Every structure is written in C-alpha cells, then in structure tokens.
Amino acid sequence: MKVLLAIPHVFAPKEGSLYSSQTETKRSLKQEALLKATIGNLNRHRQRHWIHASLGKSQPVVNRELSSPDGVKLTIRLFTPPGASLASSLPDDPDLERLDPGVSDYSQVPLLASRHVLEQAQAYDLVGYMEDDLLLSDPEFFAKILYLDRYSDGNYAFLPHRCEHIPGKGDVILSGDPDGGRPDLFWDTGEMLNIPWALGNRRFYRATNPHSGCYFLSRRKALTVRDFWVQKNWQPDWNLSGPLEQAGSGMLLPVMRVMKPVPEHYRFLMVRHQDNLWKNHRFEAPEAYTTG
C-alpha cells in the first residue's frame, strides 16, 4: 500500500496567544509531538522493522532488520515555513520531506498541505492530512481505512476519534458532540452505519462535531474531493471556525458524509493527541450521568 501524508507545521510564539503553536511555554511539548507525528508515525507504519536474532549457540544477539508486508510505503511531507518551525530538530529520514509553503500568511499553511495531498492522490492508494501533534497508534490504521472503503460506497469519509490520556482515569475523546445535537447544521442528520468486523459489527455515526485534526481517503474518494474543489477553484462558500478545521473536515463536508465510530467503539479508529487539552475542562459531577 502506497500512502502519502501531509502535515502542516508552524511554531511562531506570540505574547498572550492562546494557540499552542504560538505559546513559547509549549515549545518542548510541541517539539516532542512533532517528532512523534513524523518519525514516530514513519517507524510505526512503514515496512521496515527489527528483531533480536541470535547468531547461534554461544554467539551474540544482534538487531536484524526485517521487512513486513503488513507495513505501508509511507511518505510524509511536512509543510513548514523555515522561519517559524521546530523541524530543524528532526533527524533526517528518506521518507520525510520538508517543504516550504512559501507564504507569509501562516494561516494558509494547513490549506496548502490539504490541497497538496488531494492533488497528488492519483499516485497513491491512500492519502491523508493531519495536524503536527497526532500519533497514529494503531499499526493497522491504514488497513482499516481501506477496509471501511471496501464496505461502503464512495460517499462516506471515516474519521478517527482524536484522544488524549488522563493519568489514572483513561482515554478522553476530544471530539465530543453537543448534547441534543445541532439541527441547524446540514450534516447533523443522525445517520448510522453498521460495518462488519471479525470481533462484531462496528457502528459509525454522522458526526455533529466533524473535526478530528486529520482525514484519510482512498484514491477514489480523494479524487472525488479534489474534483469538487477544482470546480470551485478551491474557494469555499463557507468556512469552519479556523484554518485547521477548514483544512481538515472542512474540505470533506461539502462532498462526503463524515462518519466517526460511536463512542463505545472509539478504539477501532483512534489517534493520540500529544497535548493535554482535557485539563482545560472540568469533570462532570457523577450524578449528572448515573442513574438509580
């Protein structure tokens, strides 16, 4: 499987900003997150891996390189302005390409990255766009995306849940939907899908909150999205709340039905968010969600 991922990365601290990409105190956190989003994802998903191998009785043990057909031929293209970037700290890797987006307006970098993968889709089995702090922790993640593609028509885009870990408590899904839904949004239809899986059907719902910080599309779906935006000259009729949201799910919503696993099936498609946004929100009182 040949896969292309595009990642926008900007780190430009500003006094008093609430955005993590503009907060100096988050430099080390963002640096570690970028390493995991690039080199970490490459090492987790490409075909190369290693095994402890004995050279024989009473002989030393060595780390022997192997190649697994379960891996993918993965290329990551990092779109990052040289003057506003932490990419210089990354080790060189033949599958990691650094591209200068060539814009002074850094808010345009996510859209340029998203547009790039859609325009390159013909040459790949699967393309994806993702933010610079996401780790695809499931080693079968890309295989699952293509599996879902085969068991659905070309009108659906399956997005993962973006999750963090709360020490001592467990995972927290960041993309929760508002209580009562949002009937004012055209995509909040309540549609559900059941997809067969060896361990029992997996259910997906039309997400009220479509943002996952990423998307992943098979070639046929990416070309459908690309053709739509070419006809629109890449100009949207409306925008989501910010450039990251618009470059992610905002590129899909006019064309695809964006589906996510129901919360109880969140582990089926899940990505790790390398931050602690959960700390910004209080814990709901237990009586609010228990009965009897």
Side-chain angles (χ1 to χ4, degrees), residues 18 57 89 109 121 134 146 203 211 270 291:
L18 298 177
K57 185 178 179 180
S89 65
V109 177
L134 298 181
L146 288 188
R203 290 185 292 123
H211 187 57
M270 183 182 75
T291 59

Side-chain angles (χ1 to χ4, degrees), residues 170-279:
D171 297 328
V172 54
I173 299 170
L174 299 184
S175 52
D177 299 290
D179 291 345
R182 285 285 304 277
D184 56 308
L185 301 176
F186 72 83
W187 61 81
D188 192 7
T189 65
E191 182 178 5
M192 301 283 292
L193 283 178
N194 274 290
I195 303 292
W197 186 245
L199 301 178
N201 285 2
R202 293 296 179 257
R203 290 185 292 123
F204 294 80
Y205 72 105
R206 190 90 175 265
T208 305
N209 180 353
H211 187 57
S212 291
C214 57
Y215 66 74
F216 307 90
L217 300 171
S218 65
R219 182 190 298 120
R220 65 165 178 160
K221 292 179 181 178
L223 293 176
T224 296
V225 176
R226 180 204 65 182
D227 292 347
F228 172 87
W229 286 108
V230 167
Q231 293 175 11
K232 299 280 291 183
N233 197 28
W234 300 92
Q235 298 299 314
D237 294 325
W238 43 266
N239 289 281
L240 294 183
S241 57
L244 290 172
E245 290 81 1
Q246 186 62 28
S249 52
M251 299 297 287
L252 306 183
L253 287 170
V255 196
M256 297 279 166
R257 300 176 185 175
V258 173
M259 311 296 287
K260 292 184 182 181
V262 295
E264 55 264 40
H265 292 161
Y266 80 96
R267 289 189 180 95
F268 182 80
L269 282 185
M270 183 182 75
V271 299
R272 286 287 180 195
H273 186 240
Q274 308 301 309
D275 206 335
N276 299 301
L277 298 185
W278 63 269
K279 291 182 177 180

Side-chain angles (χ1 to χ4, degrees), residues 146-168:
L146 288 188
Y147 175 87
L148 294 170
D149 183 81
R150 289 196 300 269
Y151 277 89
S152 62
D153 65 32
N155 296 316
Y156 293 98
F158 295 91
L159 269 61
H161 279 299
R162 188 174 49 151
C163 298
E164 293 176 348
H165 186 74
I166 304 176

